[in-house]
Amino acid sequence: QVQLVESGGGSVQAGGSLRLSCAASGLTFISNALGWFRQAPGKEREFVAAISRGGLSTYYADSVKDRFTISRDNAKNTVYLQMNSLKPEDTAVYYCAAGSHGATVKDGSINYWGKGTLVTVSS
């Protein structure tokens, strides 16, 4: 059974930082591209960042470029999202996702989803 378990969410003031982690089990980690999506209250889920299977290619939404960094540790079956310079509009539930390729994860082609972790940014 595939599981993607997110952690690291919480409350932070604007300008602060958080690092999200997603631990994967039940799948061949190196064979999967990974990504992060988020859903704010009353809005649709949107793409945030993705990373290719080997970690050489990364993709970001324009709204988080230069503030967020996605990385992966294939030895630990874990993907991370370092979030800096957080803004109130970053408030959302953040979901980890796995798919075949970084580019297709970016486009929403997802095989597995985590249950999400809440990030709240106050002004």
Side-chain angles (χ1 to χ4, degrees), residues 10-68:
S11 297
V12 64
Q13 288 192 327
S17 299
L18 283 174
R19 188 175 83 154
L20 305 183
S21 300
C22 172
S25 61
L27 53 72
T28 304
F29 192 74
I30 189 65
S31 296
N32 283 267
L34 282 301
W36 291 93
F37 290 72
R38 67 187 181 187
Q39 187 166 19
K43 296 188 176 181
E44 293 186 354
R45 192 175 299 189
E46 64 175 3
F47 168 75
V48 175
I51 188 166
S52 62
R53 288 173 287 182
L56 294 181
S57 297
T58 56
Y59 310 81
Y60 295 96
D62 288 343
S63 59
V64 306
K65 203 170 293 184
D66 299 326
R67 297 190 298 124
F68 291 10

